Every structure is written in structure tokens, then in C-alpha cells.
Amino acid sequence: MIHLDNLTKQYDLPSGKGGTIVAADGLTLDVPDGEVFGLVGPNGAGKTTTLKMICGLHEPTFGTVAVNGVDVQRAPEEAQRHIGYLADFFSLYDDLKVWEYLDYFAHAYKMEEAAIPGRVNEVIRLMNLESKRDELITGLSRGMKQRLGVGRAIIHDPPLLVLDEPAAGLDPKARVELKALLKDLHARGKTIFITSHILADLEEICTSIAIMEKGHLLRVGRLEDVMQEGKSVRRLRIRLATSGFALTDWLSARPGVSGVAARGTAVEFALEGGDEHIATLLRELIAKGAPVCGLEEMSESLERLYSRISSGEVM
Ligand SMILES: Nc1ncnc2c1ncn2[C@@H]1O[C@H](COP(=O)(O)OP(=O)(O)OP(=O)(O)O)[C@@H](O)[C@H]1O
Ligand SMILES: [Mg+2]
């Protein structure tokens, strides 16, 4: 659906004394159909710049972008038909009604006249805005406005949705609604390319992610593969049936164990090594008479993995 080839963007430094900043540095990436692809990275990493080049809103300094097989620079108008873009900061026309706003954009996309009223109503239903159909945009909550923005992006039914921080500023309930909406659009066959600083949300909806920093992609892959990386250290939790065994002390004294922390009757810790190390530890622990009634491996959050990758802890 998206193909980036050596995509590069240099901006001139604003000082006027010459010099450039490389916001995207030779990005090569393929995003297949049907993915929910999350782009994460700190402020200034180059995410918005990349999204704008994908949508044909910024001219690359070098390299090319193709969306659904269409070269975005060579055939921008045709490419637009395949892309629905929601910018990080977008304005709505407050004095229009919800349906008028969508109708306006349907016309702007030169949709077939006869199909517009039906499509406008369909999008209003999809966005769960039926009760606001005839109301002015100015009276919508922030979450509703965000959904209307997504509605505008999909009014012409593009196969690709490009969303720049759509969850920014939303309360937890509105975030849950937005996630449900994106899952629904994904189930309807849309490919979604999304940035967010709310990594827990991305972890829930993405099929693949890329981690970007200083214009480079540090990691790209299926969510589960990226999450699997750097797992030479496992986070484990052992639960005892009764108190009385000094599990914390016992674990802390063992080689390869770190980060020991008591959590009620359970103890969490990190262990270096593979399955056989876990088996050995458990065998010795039981031989010591510890009343072990549970062992579980805790999955690492994207949040934590991301901070480990960007701090260089996972190379
Ligand atoms: N129009 C511009 N002119 C000059 N420099 C720019 C311009 N737009 C972005 N930059 C610079 O390019 C770099 C990447 O910016 P970009 O907005 O793409 O980052 P981002 O990853 O989207 O960050 P954020 O998480 O804050 O949205 C930054 O150093 C920024 O200052
Ligand atoms: Mg940005």
C-alpha cells in the first residue's frame, strides 16, 4: 500500500545562515495492504514530515513515495484518491453543521453527485455522530471533532488512512472510542498509518510498528517481532502459597537475577537466559522448600521496549 524508497527531507535552518536539518534520512519502507502501521518516536523524530511526504503535502528532497502503486510526486491528484489524511493540527469549520462539513469535502473530492448524500450519512453513522448530524461543529466535544476529522479523511473511501496523532488531547473514554473506530475501519479493509505518543494505544491496534529517531528508522517489523526483541532478559513473577519463605532474599542472591520487587505474596524479577535457566531456578527453589504456586512471564510493554531501544539498552 505504501512504498518509500530512500525518502529524504532536508529543511533549511531558519537562521538564514545556510545549513540544513535532515528530518527524514533515506527512509525505505514497505507497508502492505491491511496493516495498521504505527510510527513512534520522540518529538522532532521526523514522523509528521514523513506523513506529509506520503500524502504529497511535502516535496521530498530525494527519494520517492508510492501509494497503492501511484507515484505521489508524479501523479498527486490520482494519489489523493487513495489517501485519507488527518493532520496533527486540523481546523474544522465551526459554523457548518456536521453533515454540511462532510458534504463540502465530498464535493471537494469531486465525488459523484448522486452518491454524496448516502455516503455522508454512512460516514456519520460509522463515526457514531448520528445524534449530531444537524448540529453546528462548534458544539461538538473534542472527541467528536476528532471523529469528524477521521470522517472527513475517509469521505471519499480511500484504501489508506494516514493519521497524525489522532488521540492527542482525548480523554480515556474518547480514546477508547477512537480505537474502536480504527479497529472497525481496519476490519473494513482499510490500511492505517498512524503516529501516536500513546504507546499503549498503538500496542492495542497496530499490526506493525516502526521506531523513528532523528530521521532514521531504528526498528521496523511486526508488532510481536519487535516486542520479542531484546528478550534475553525475561520478566517473571513467582507467587507463593504461604508467607514465611524469604523469596526476595533468595532471588536477590542468585546470579543472573535483577530488579527483584515484592508485590504482595508475589515477587517480580528479571532473569537472564532462556527457558532452561527458568527451569533450574524453579527446581532449586522448590528443593529449598518454597511453597511455589505460580510462575508467570510478564510481557513487556511497548512503552518500556521503546525507552530501552532509544536509550541504546537494546542494540
Ligand atoms: N517546515 C519546517 N521547516 C524547518 N524545519 C522543520 C519544518 N518542519 C519540521 N522541521 C524540523 O524537522 C524535524 C522533524 O520534525 P517533525 O515535525 O517531522 O517531527 P515529529 O516526529 O512529527 O515530532 P512531534 O512528535 O513533535 O510531532 C524537527 O527537527 C523539526 O524542527
Ligand atoms: Mg509530529
Side-chain angles (χ1 to χ4, degrees):
M1 178 59 66
I2 304 175
H3 177 67
L4 309 183
D5 188 10
N6 193 29
L7 190 67
T8 302
K9 181 71 183 181
Q10 298 175 350
Y11 292 113
D12 293 329
L13 285 174
S15 62
K17 293 180 196 147
T20 55
I21 171 163
V22 185
D25 199 354
L27 307 181
T28 296
L29 177 70
D30 271 303
V31 178
D33 278 12
E35 295 268 341
V36 179
F37 193 100
L39 184 61
V40 307
N43 293 138
K47 304 179 300 294
T48 297
T49 300
T50 304
L51 261 55
K52 286 189 168 165
M53 288 193 286
I54 290 173
C55 297
L57 300 167
H58 271 357
E59 190 80 15
T61 313
F62 309 110
T64 57
V65 181
V67 170
N68 218 2
V70 179
D71 186 310
V72 173
Q73 276 70 54
R74 286 209 198 127
E77 278 200 23
E78 195 193 342
Q80 294 307 326
R81 288 211 295 275
H82 301 275
I83 305 169
Y85 172 63
L86 183 66
D88 45 357
F89 298 102
F90 64 94
S91 50
L92 297 159
Y93 305 117
D94 274 355
D95 50 355
L96 287 185
K97 292 177 179 165
V98 166
W99 78 266
E100 288 173 334
Y101 180 75
L102 293 173
D103 184 77
Y104 173 86
F105 278 95
H107 283 96
Y109 278 111
K110 301 195 178 73
M111 288 177 65
E112 197 189 318
E113 192 71 38
I116 291 177
R119 178 63 184 163
V120 166
N121 286 336
E122 186 184 2
V123 168
I124 287 174
R125 203 168 49 246
L126 264 175
M127 299 304 121
N128 210 1
L129 287 170
E130 289 110 315
S131 63
K132 301 288 173 184
R133 184 185 182 283
D134 298 313
E135 302 215 357
L136 290 178
I137 290 170
T138 186
L140 300 186
S141 73
R142 175 147 189 163
M144 291 169 188
K145 285 183 178 169
Q146 206 72 2
R147 293 209 301 275
L148 182 57
V150 176
R152 181 196 72 192
I154 63 160
I155 191 75
H156 56 308
D157 204 16
L160 172 65
L161 257 179
V162 177
L163 308 173
D164 200 352
E165 292 185 42
L170 298 188
D171 73 18
K173 180 164 173 283
R175 270 170 48 202
V176 168
E177 287 166 358
L178 180 69
K179 268 182 286 185
L181 172 60
L182 297 183
K183 283 180 189 168
D184 184 28
L185 291 170
H186 180 224
R188 287 164 190 269
K190 303 285 182 208
T191 304
I192 300 175
F193 195 90
I194 180 173
T195 71
S196 177
H197 289 291
I198 306 169
L199 301 186
D201 283 359
L202 286 184
E203 201 177 333
E204 224 179 281
I205 60 171
C206 288
T207 53
S208 293
I209 59 164
I211 297 176
M212 185 168 195
E213 225 172 88
K214 299 189 181 124
H216 293 274
L217 298 178
L218 300 184
R219 287 287 188 292
V220 183
R222 310 278 315 158
L223 180 68
E224 58 272 23
D225 294 343
V226 175
M227 301 289 289
Q228 200 60 39
E229 267 194 62
K231 273 227 169 151
S232 57
V233 174
R234 326 265 291 261
R235 294 280 318 161
L236 301 168
R237 180 192 283 141
I238 288 179
R239 215 152 49 79
L240 299 182
T242 53
S243 55
F245 184 88
L247 181 56
T248 315
D249 296 342
W250 187 83
L251 283 169
S252 301
R254 278 188 73 89
V257 170
S258 59
V260 180
R263 301 258 186 273
T265 58
V267 176
E268 292 175 10
F269 60 101
L271 180 69
E272 274 174 41
D275 286 347
E276 68 283 7
H277 289 84
I278 299 177
T280 307
L281 181 134
L282 208 52
R283 198 166 48 240
E284 291 176 12
L285 185 58
I286 289 167
K288 283 276 173 207
V292 176
C293 67
L295 167 82
E296 61 180 311
E297 181 160 4
M298 293 147 65
S299 59
E300 183 173 52
S301 69
L302 178 59
E303 182 101 43
R304 182 159 155 69
L305 177 72
Y306 168 66
S307 64
R308 292 205 298 135
I309 288 176
S310 52
S311 68
E313 195 185 316
V314 181
M315 301 303 279

